[in-house]
């Protein structure tokens, strides 16, 4: 069985939010429908997003690091949001493993958000339904698009190629190779949900600098001396240039 998923490389994610804005732009105008914003330019803006980037600092000062952690629906292989749904609105597709919400059946009871251990369900306050990442299902199967563009909007927008998309059940796919060779891991495996999305861990990059490499070749505090005077009768720059 095919299981489509996102693989996110935390080592190269720079937290630019290009994935967030491209996700909202594509899905708002697609089959997922509008994702509203409430007072977007006020002091306490809220709204509906399929994808969010959490940024936090780890370590103790001065040895700290900034982590950018994108998170959306993980399309679990055993999604806890599905069996708790009283109307059958939340379901998992057999053909590709994508977890979706049928808005016509959703009554906005929020059971799915309580069952999801990852906090990725969003309630649309305007439509009164639950929403979540669709893996851009209306894009990845659109035969009117070139094959190279049949990927989730967040993958195409990422400037650092921190996101991969593919079938994690295919051992030869790029996503499976990345997981296998770069130590990809699932989020909170102790819940037994078997998330399809995986993360590639941050890798320590150490550069050893020698003391002489710390000295700047150009000293910004250096004061320039008087400019050299041209020889009497010699041409100046103004004499040989047309301006």
């Amino acid at each position: 069985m095919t299981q489509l998923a996102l693989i996110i490389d935390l080592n190269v994610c720079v937290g630019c939010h290009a994935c967030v804005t491209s996700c909202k732009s594509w899905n708002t105008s697609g089959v997922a429908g509008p994702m509203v914003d409430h007072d977007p330019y006020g002091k306490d803006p809220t709204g509906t997003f399929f994808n969010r980037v959490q940024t936090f600092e780890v370590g103790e000062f001065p040895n700290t690091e900034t982590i950018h952690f994108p998170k959306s629906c993980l399309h679990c292989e055993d999604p806890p949001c599905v069996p708790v749904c009283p109307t059958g609105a939340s379901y998992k597709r057999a053909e590709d493993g994508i977890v979706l919400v049928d808005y016509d059946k959703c009554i906005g009871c929020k059971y799915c958000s309580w069952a999801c251990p990852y906090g990725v369900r969003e309630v649309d306050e305007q439509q009164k339904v639950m929403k979540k990442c669709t893996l851009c299902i209306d894009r990845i199967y659109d035969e009117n698009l070139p094959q190279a563009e049949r990927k989730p909007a967040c993958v195409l927008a990422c400037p650092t190629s921190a996101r991969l998309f593919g079938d994690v059940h295919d051992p030869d796919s790029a996503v499976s190779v990345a997981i296998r060779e770069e130590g990809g891991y699932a989020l909170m495996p102790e819940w037994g949900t078997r998330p399809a999305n995986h993360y590639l861990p941050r890798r320590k990059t150490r550069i050893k600098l020698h003391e002489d490499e710390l000295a700047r070749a150009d000293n910004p505090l250096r004061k320039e001396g008087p400019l050299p005077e041209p020889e009497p009768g010699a041409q100046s720059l103004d004499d040989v240039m047309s301006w």
Side-chain angles (χ1 to χ4, degrees):
M1 169 184 157
T2 299
Q3 176 60 66
L4 298 178
L6 296 172
I7 310 301
I8 301 171
D9 190 345
L10 298 179
N11 199 55
V12 295
C13 176
V14 295
C16 66
H17 285 68
C19 56
V20 177
T21 54
S22 64
C23 167
K24 187 148 187 166
S25 175
W26 176 263
N27 288 291
T28 291
S29 58
V31 297
M35 291 188 286
V36 298
D37 288 313
H38 303 284
D39 195 17
Y41 304 107
K43 293 182 179 179
D44 186 22
T46 59
T48 307
F49 290 83
F50 289 173
N51 178 63
R52 295 179 185 268
V53 178
Q54 299 171 342
T55 298
F56 51 91
E57 193 171 17
V58 298
E60 293 187 8
F61 179 83
N63 300 314
T64 60
E65 294 181 69
T66 300
I67 306 292
H68 304 292
F69 195 87
K71 195 170 67 174
S72 58
C73 172
L74 304 174
H75 298 279
C76 302
E77 299 201 37
D78 188 11
C81 57
V82 171
V84 301
C85 181
T87 65
S90 292
Y91 65 102
K92 185 175 179 66
R93 287 163 51 103
E95 60 267 41
D96 53 21
I98 299 177
V99 178
L100 293 177
V101 178
D102 184 341
Y103 299 158
D104 291 334
K105 295 181 179 178
C106 182
I107 57 175
C109 66
K110 302 182 183 178
Y111 278 4
C112 57
S113 64
W114 297 337
C116 175
Y118 309 106
V120 293
R121 288 287 182 135
E122 300 264 344
V123 60
D124 188 315
E125 296 290 353
Q126 192 171 57
Q127 292 182 289
K128 303 298 182 185
V129 296
M130 305 304 293
K131 293 188 173 181
K132 58 178 287 304
C133 164
T134 68
L135 282 182
C136 290
I137 195 168
D138 55 337
R139 182 182 190 99
I140 62 177
Y141 292 116
D142 187 350
E143 295 183 355
N144 294 318
L145 294 175
Q147 186 66 43
E149 296 182 12
R150 297 179 198 173
K151 299 177 181 177
C154 60
V155 175
L156 293 170
C158 181
T160 62
S161 300
R163 288 169 171 258
L164 299 174
F165 171 67
D167 180 10
V168 292
H169 282 183
D170 178 0
D172 298 324
S173 67
V175 290
S176 292
V177 171
I179 293 171
R180 187 167 60 247
E181 296 186 354
E182 299 183 41
Y185 65 93
L187 191 62
M188 299 163 62
E190 63 273 20
W191 284 93
T193 62
R194 295 187 297 153
N197 286 10
H198 283 67
Y199 292 88
L200 304 184
R202 288 172 59 86
R203 299 177 289 278
K204 290 289 185 181
T205 303
R206 299 187 184 281
I207 301 176
K208 186 174 182 179
L209 295 176
H210 299 282
E211 187 173 352
D212 60 336
E213 293 175 317
L214 297 175
R216 290 187 54 167
D218 60 320
N219 184 354
L221 300 180
R222 184 182 63 186
K223 294 183 179 179
E224 298 289 349
L227 297 175
E229 293 289 338
E231 295 291 335
Q235 288 185 324
S236 68
L237 191 60
D238 290 338
D239 296 327
V240 298
M241 302 299 290
S242 60
W243 70 73

